[in-house]
């Protein structure tokens, strides 16, 4: 064969082989591309699966528990119930002392303080000696009493004698009348002096020249606690000066300041829960007994309540916060253990579904609004998508779900 023809034949064969190889490669590439389009790789599958299980932003917050975790958390389910709870009115006030229980001790006749041993906060019994006073005037009062008493004894004898003489007309009637008038005057003077001595705690019936004293004791008129001692030993006190102030706290009352717009909701007999010094636990109770009839400059009205229980630890004038039970009505309530406080909000957990085959419990976190707390229950307002009759709510063990949720977020 001619050489040129052989070369040409070889080139055609080579071109044919190249075309066949290129076509096969193209077909393989096309099949591979179609397979890639129809079947994603494992990483893409895992990513898509994670995306489908993750809740959308702003969606419900879910918590899953296995059967073992459910048992360990001691989960208890229940539904809200209607309970008679009291709606309350929050007010402020103070502990006050009735006027008859706040005593300022003074003396009718002044004197020098010779003995005083009082400190604020001391417990004082009725009749206990508060101070000892000394004054020459005390001696003069006793002397005048004894002198007048002696004159009256003579006047009594003279009156009897003149009365006998007047019967026999021996003496003029005018003399008898003068003696009688003088006797009556001495009787009045002696009675007045006896009262002054009695005020000073000196018994005129037993007073003799040998029993005259220059000091007097001032006893406590009531039992209570010393709240102020504005004097000191050796000082001269006048009748207008206060020796000591005593407060009887056996009958303290709570003075509440209720705004004018709320006074129509207040009446006698309502219960009050209060705490002292800003105590939010409101562990003390009382009953309203008096509503004021005047409005202060801040548009509040004073309402008085009797506190219950022991008042020995109360401090008069102390600031209090209080709640008045203004109305009792049936409200939707849950046990306080069902409400979970977190981040300044209140939540409950509802059972969204139970996977029996996998033994998994799916709970949903629901934000709620709370109301009055009373006797271990709290009034709640549930969102509209929660049916309180059909939806089981976690009434015990909710903090275990919160802990599980927080741990999941950290992971």
């Amino acid at each position: 064969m001619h050489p040129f023809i052989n070369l040409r034949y070889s080139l055609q064969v080579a071109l044919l082989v190249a075309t066949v190889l290129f076509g096969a490669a193209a077909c393989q590439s096309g099949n591979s591309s179609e397979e890639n389009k129809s079947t994603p790789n494992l990483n893409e599958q895992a990513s898509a699966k994670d995306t489908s299980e993750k809740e959308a932003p702003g969606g419900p917050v879910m918590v899953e528990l296995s059967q073992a975790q459910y048992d360990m958390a001691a989960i208890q389910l229940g539904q809200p119930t209607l309970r008679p709870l009291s709606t309350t009115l929050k007010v402020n006030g103070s502990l006050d002392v009735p006027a008859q229980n706040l005593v300022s001790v003074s003396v009718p006749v002044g004197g020098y303080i010779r003995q005083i041993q009082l400190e604020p906060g001391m417990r004082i019994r009725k009749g206990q000696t508060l101070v000892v006073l000394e004054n020459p005037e005390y001696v003069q009062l006793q002397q005048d009493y004894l002198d007048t008493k002696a004159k009256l004894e003579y006047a009594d004898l003279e009156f009897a004698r003149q009365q006998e003489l007047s019967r026999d007309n021996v003496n003029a009637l005018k003399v008898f009348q003068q003696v009688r008038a003088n006797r009556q005057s001495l009787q009045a003077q002696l009675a007045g002096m006896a009262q002054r001595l009695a005020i000073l705690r000196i018994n005129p019936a037993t007073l003799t020249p040998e029993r005259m004293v220059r000091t007097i004791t001032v006893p406590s008129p009531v039992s209570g606690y010393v709240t102020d001692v504005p004097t000191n030993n050796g000082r001269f006190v006048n009748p207008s000066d206060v020796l000591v102030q005593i407060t009887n706290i056996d009958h303290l009352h709570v003075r509440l300041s209720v705004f004018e717009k709320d006074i129509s909701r207040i009446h006698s007999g309502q219960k009050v829960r209060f705490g002292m010094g800003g105590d939010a636990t409101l562990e003390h109770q009382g009953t309203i007994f008096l509503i004021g009839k005047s409005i202060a400059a801040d548009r509040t009205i004073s309402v008085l309540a009797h506190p219950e229980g022991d008042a020995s630890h109360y401090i008069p004038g102390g600031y209090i916060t209080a709640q008045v039970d203004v109305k009792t009505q049936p409200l939707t309530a849950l046990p306080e253990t069902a409400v979970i406080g977190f981040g300044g909000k209140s939540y409950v957990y509802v059972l969204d579904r139970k996977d029996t085959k996998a033994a998994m419990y799916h709970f949903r976190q629901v934000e709620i609004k709370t109301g009055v707390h009373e006797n271990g229950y709290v009034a709640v307002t549930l969102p509209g998508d929660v049916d309180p009759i059909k939806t089981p709510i976690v009434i015990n063990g909710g903090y275990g779900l919160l802990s599980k949720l927080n741990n999941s977020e950290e992971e």
Side-chain angles (χ1 to χ4, degrees):
M1 185 178 290
H2 195 276
F4 178 76
I5 295 175
N6 292 335
L7 177 61
R8 184 178 180 182
Y9 179 79
S10 299
L11 290 173
Q12 290 177 349
V13 172
L15 180 60
L16 179 60
V17 172
T19 302
V20 173
L21 292 175
F22 179 78
C27 292
Q28 184 178 1
S29 176
N31 293 336
S32 176
S33 177
E34 291 176 359
E35 290 175 0
N36 290 338
K37 290 181 179 179
S38 62
T39 306
N41 59 40
L42 295 177
N43 291 334
E44 290 176 346
Q45 289 179 350
S47 176
K49 183 177 180 181
D50 292 343
T51 302
S52 64
E53 291 179 353
K54 189 180 297 183
E55 298 294 340
V61 178
M62 305 296 297
V63 186
E64 296 180 356
L65 292 183
S66 65
Q67 185 65 51
Q69 291 173 328
Y70 182 91
D71 296 336
M72 182 176 296
I75 301 294
Q76 293 183 10
L77 301 176
Q79 273 82 29
T81 58
L82 288 177
R83 296 186 64 87
L85 299 178
S86 300
T87 56
T88 59
L89 176 65
K90 294 182 178 180
V91 294
N92 298 323
S94 61
L95 288 170
D96 202 2
V97 181
Q100 65 268 23
N101 288 6
L102 186 62
V103 180
S104 297
V105 181
S106 58
V107 290
V109 180
Y112 293 94
I113 298 177
R114 295 306 181 209
Q115 182 180 337
I116 181 171
Q117 296 178 349
L118 299 174
E119 295 292 342
M122 290 180 60
R123 173 73 176 177
I124 299 297
R125 303 183 309 276
K126 183 177 181 179
Q128 179 179 339
T129 298
L130 299 176
V131 295
V132 176
L133 299 178
E134 181 183 42
N135 192 341
E137 187 175 352
Y138 304 152
V139 179
Q140 185 64 48
L141 288 173
Q142 298 170 78
Q143 179 181 340
D144 292 344
Y145 175 83
L146 293 176
D147 184 44
T148 303
K149 183 178 179 181
K151 292 180 179 179
L152 180 59
E153 291 176 353
Y154 174 77
D156 288 338
L157 295 175
E158 182 65 16
F159 174 79
R161 188 172 67 86
Q162 293 296 334
Q163 187 178 33
E164 186 67 25
L165 292 176
S166 64
R167 290 175 182 161
D168 299 333
N169 295 322
V170 175
N171 199 3
L173 182 61
K174 181 178 180 180
V175 176
F176 171 72
Q177 292 175 342
Q178 288 179 345
V179 170
R180 184 176 61 186
N182 182 57
R183 176 174 174 267
Q184 292 175 344
S185 176
L186 290 174
Q187 287 175 336
Q189 292 180 33
L190 189 65
M193 293 179 180
Q195 292 298 323
R196 296 187 65 183
L197 291 176
I199 292 176
L200 296 176
R201 304 299 191 279
I202 299 175
N203 187 1
T206 60
L207 181 61
T208 62
E210 295 78 16
R211 294 183 177 181
M212 294 177 63
V213 296
R214 62 182 185 182
T215 61
I216 63 171
T217 60
V218 180
S220 175
V222 295
S223 296
Y225 292 87
V226 176
T227 54
D228 189 22
V229 186
T231 187
N232 54 270
N233 200 20
R235 179 180 176 180
F236 184 86
V237 292
N238 294 299
S240 59
D241 296 335
V242 176
L243 294 173
V244 59
Q245 286 188 344
I246 301 175
T247 301
N248 182 2
I249 64 174
D250 292 340
H251 301 285
L252 287 177
H253 56 232
V254 177
R255 183 179 296 275
L256 305 174
S257 296
V258 180
F259 283 103
E260 179 184 5
K261 63 182 181 64
D262 298 321
I263 197 64
S264 61
R265 305 168 64 186
I266 303 298
H267 58 80
S268 297
Q270 286 176 324
K271 294 296 182 181
V272 178
R273 294 190 298 272
F274 64 94
M276 296 180 292
D279 184 7
T281 59
L282 308 180
E283 60 180 347
H284 306 286
Q285 294 187 358
T287 304
I288 293 177
F289 71 94
L290 185 63
I291 300 174
K293 300 301 180 183
S294 62
I295 302 177
D298 59 353
R299 310 307 298 178
T300 60
I301 299 172
S302 293
V303 175
L304 301 183
H306 280 306
E308 300 175 0
D310 182 22
S312 60
H313 60 288
Y314 292 172
I315 300 178
Y319 173 80
I320 66 168
T321 55
Q323 288 184 354
V324 182
D325 295 340
V326 295
K327 185 179 180 181
T328 300
Q329 58 183 348
L331 298 174
T332 301
L334 283 169
E336 292 181 340
T337 55
V339 180
I340 308 301
F342 181 72
K345 298 180 179 180
S346 298
Y347 300 95
V348 295
Y349 290 93
V350 300
L351 181 62
D352 194 65
R353 70 182 188 277
K354 178 183 178 182
D355 190 347
T356 305
K357 292 182 178 180
M360 295 293 293
Y361 295 84
H362 301 265
F363 295 95
R364 177 160 56 98
Q365 186 185 73
V366 177
E367 183 179 351
I368 63 169
K369 294 182 180 180
T370 61
V372 61
H373 293 249
E374 187 175 303
N375 298 327
Y377 284 83
V378 55
V380 296
T381 302
L382 300 173
D385 61 343
V386 177
D387 187 345
I389 299 177
K390 299 180 180 179
T391 306
I393 297 178
V394 176
I395 61 174
N396 191 33
Y399 279 101
L401 292 171
L402 178 64
S403 177
K404 177 69 165 53
L405 178 62
N406 292 337
N407 291 337
S408 299
E409 293 177 351
E410 291 177 0
E411 294 174 359

